[in-house]
Amino acid sequence: MDDYKGILTKCIHAGNKKNDTYDALHTPIYMTSNYRLPTDGTPVDWSGIHTNIYTRNGNVNQFVLQDKLSAVEGAEDCVVLGSGVAALSGVFLTFLDSGDHVICSKVCYSAVNILFRKLLPDKYHIEVDMVDTTDLNEVKKAIKPNTKLIHVETPGNPTTGISDIAEISKIAKGADALLSVDGTFASPLCQKPLELGADLVIHSMTKYINGHGDSLGGCVLGKTQLIDMIKEQAMVNIGGILSPFNAWLISRGLTTLPLRVKQHSENAMKIAEFLEQDKRVRFVHYPGLKSHPQHELAEKQMLGSYAGMLSFDIKGGEQEHLKFLNSLKLISHAVSLGDAESLIVYTDKYGEKIKYYPEIYAEGFFRFSVGLEDAEDILNDLKQALDKCGI
Ligand SMILES: Cc1ncc(COP(=O)(O)O)c(C=O)c1O
């Protein structure tokens, strides 16, 4: 694969196994929990991660997906786990000991919020500072002698706030800490955190990488030495394994990732521009819009496209918000993101998490995952719902 530099070629060909007994062109699904062990007295490393023993130690379909992802992200190595949260907690539990200190984006996925605000401090005595990582001074100020990890989500879920990976990686290196970046909102196509100095990049593969809304998975990419530690601890001994079937489904999804991200990005830009000029819209945040609070940084740090996630709010009160939501016909009110279908989530002003977001979110807002439908159809759905909600 090293001969091929193109991202489409890598997504299609990297990692594929060509030694199937029946000459199958595509790697079959190895639905097996165990493998034959040597009978010649060769010692077995029961917790090993490099030989086929048991599917929790590794499986052919995971190997295919890991190799494909490493090629696409430009990483030395990769581990795939059962969900994005398994990948995130795998990083935290592998690299943090009790008494260590972590700095994390204040705006982050809800499970990370709960892990860092409650579980890890209460159960494992890990010290945590949740700060606005879009502000470098806040990150610098939070550093302590025992800081072991800075974890950043960029673009952040749900606000799409952008944190400066290159500058934060300098701060982390100066403190002898690791930097992990959750790049789920950008996908591996719109941003390359490892090239900007991050030690680990994490994706919920449930989202863009799989892209078809039919399976959960997570991955962590980085240097082999770090990835092996996650495999040994989070995969073999904590057991956050990805099933062979999901690994196969996600490998299939990954084949078309560049084409899908291009379409998501083009559609999202059109939708963001439409929302920005509509007087009934209170605000819209999309990293590709000049009006985004960190647009200049997004332009510098991302790769010229911004994927399909935006957040916005309409004018009016709760009644108008619900009317708008219930008038949507094509766009579904559902969690998750990066699927072919357009998905929207309404967060009302009473939500617990809202206090962690910038002031403009305090009245409630919509998080929108712009799908792969024709942009015109998505726009028309938004327009007719806006017309019906009486603002
Ligand atoms: C940015 C981000 N990271 C991680 C996750 C968790 O991924 P999963 O649902 O695959 O566990 C999500 C889920 O929405 C997410 O948006």
Side-chain angles (χ1 to χ4, degrees):
M1 264 330 287
D2 289 348
D3 295 345
Y4 301 102
K5 303 276 179 261
I7 200 75
L8 284 158
T9 314
K10 284 179 182 169
C11 283
I12 296 166
H13 291 279
N16 297 348
K17 300 276 177 252
K18 297 218 166 71
N19 56 355
D20 176 71
T21 319
Y22 300 104
D23 275 341
L25 191 62
H26 296 118
T27 311
I29 311 174
Y30 285 79
M31 288 305 278
T32 182
S33 47
N34 40 7
Y35 294 82
R36 287 200 176 85
L37 296 170
T39 51
D40 61 359
T42 308
V44 176
D45 177 3
W46 303 107
S47 299
I49 53 171
H50 298 298
T51 44
N52 289 340
I53 304 170
Y54 188 54
T55 279
R56 185 158 37 73
N57 304 62
N59 168 287
V60 180
N61 298 104
Q62 291 164 29
F63 301 150
V64 169
L65 180 56
Q66 285 168 177
D67 290 351
K68 230 182 229 315
L69 285 162
S70 299
V72 172
E73 188 78 54
E76 203 172 283
D77 222 328
C78 172
V79 52
V80 291
L81 293 159
S83 67
V85 168
L88 287 156
S89 60
V91 168
F92 307 151
L93 293 173
T94 300
F95 297 108
L96 295 173
D97 288 325
S98 68
D100 286 346
H101 173 246
V102 189
I103 300 168
C104 176
S105 306
K106 200 151 109 184
V107 171
C108 62
Y109 181 59
S110 49
V112 174
N113 207 346
I114 293 167
L115 275 169
F116 278 141
R117 285 185 194 275
K118 256 207 97 43
L119 249 97
L120 293 173
D122 292 359
K123 286 197 157 181
Y124 302 102
H125 309 292
I126 287 162
E127 258 185 81
V128 181
D129 271 307
M130 308 288 281
V131 306
D132 177 2
T133 55
T134 66
D135 179 346
L136 291 173
N137 285 328
E138 283 217 20
V139 180
K140 278 183 206 149
K141 269 197 317 209
I143 291 284
K144 291 185 176 174
N146 56 341
T147 305
K148 286 285 152 48
L149 179 74
I150 304 181
H151 177 72
V152 165
E153 199 174 291
T154 184
N157 179 3
T159 63
T160 77
I162 307 290
S163 300
D164 191 328
I165 300 171
E167 288 303 316
I168 297 176
S169 97
K170 288 182 201 156
I171 301 172
K173 283 188 177 60
D176 214 9
L178 291 174
L179 170 63
S180 56
V181 174
D182 183 335
T184 300
F185 262 38
S187 89
L189 268 288
C190 299
Q191 155 180 296
K192 296 265 180 267
L194 298 176
E195 286 175 13
L196 297 168
D199 298 287
L200 297 163
V201 55
I202 301 154
H203 294 281
S204 163
M205 301 192 293
T206 314
K207 314 295 170 3
Y208 288 110
I209 293 176
N210 179 50
H212 292 74
D214 50 16
S215 54
L216 268 65
C219 62
V220 190
L221 297 115
K223 291 228 178 335
T224 303
Q225 188 214 348
L226 299 177
I227 298 299
D228 276 0
M229 287 169 73
I230 303 172
K231 284 183 182 166
E232 279 155 15
Q233 298 189 34
M235 188 178 79
V236 179
N237 292 322
I238 297 182
I241 196 74
L242 181 71
S243 80
F245 184 51
N246 277 11
W248 182 87
L249 276 174
I250 297 169
S251 298
R252 189 170 69 156
L254 179 51
T255 308
T256 55
L257 181 68
L259 302 172
R260 290 186 286 104
V261 170
K262 184 169 181 287
Q263 176 76 3
H264 280 296
S265 303
E266 287 172 12
N267 278 0
M269 194 69 203
K270 287 182 190 153
I271 305 300
E273 281 168 352
F274 159 73
L275 291 171
E276 189 174 41
Q277 58 72 48
D278 195 295
K279 297 276 177 293
R280 295 165 294 186
V281 173
R282 199 164 63 79
F283 76 89
V284 53
H285 285 162
Y286 179 64
L289 284 181
K290 285 198 167 51
S291 58
H292 185 279
Q294 295 91 31
H295 173 69
E296 261 178 48
L297 174 60
E299 220 178 9
K300 188 173 92 178
Q301 170 167 292
M302 298 179 79
L303 302 172
S305 61
Y306 305 93
M309 293 307 297
L310 54 87
S311 55
F312 71 96
D313 192 29
I314 59 172
K315 293 178 182 162
E318 206 170 342
Q319 213 182 330
E320 287 75 18
H321 283 70
L322 290 175
K323 183 79 187 143
F324 171 73
L325 189 65
N326 284 296
S327 303
L328 293 168
K329 291 177 183 157
L330 181 71
I331 303 163
S332 303
H333 187 212
V335 295
S336 205
L337 58 106
D339 291 2
E341 295 84 5
S342 286
L343 305 172
I344 202 162
V345 175
Y346 173 49
T347 303
D348 63 37
K349 62 181 176 186
Y350 310 109
E352 155 73 8
K353 295 176 289 185
I354 218 146
K355 59 177 180 283
Y356 306 127
Y357 307 150
E359 185 60 33
I360 199 165
Y361 287 79
E363 289 303 304
F365 65 96
F366 294 93
R367 187 191 76 175
F368 190 16
S369 170
V370 179
L372 299 177
E373 301 95 342
D374 295 281
E376 226 24 61
D377 287 331
I378 307 173
L379 279 172
N380 286 338
D381 198 30
L382 289 169
K383 281 180 195 162
Q384 64 81 26
L386 277 166
D387 289 346
K388 284 201 186 106
C389 68
I391 42 174

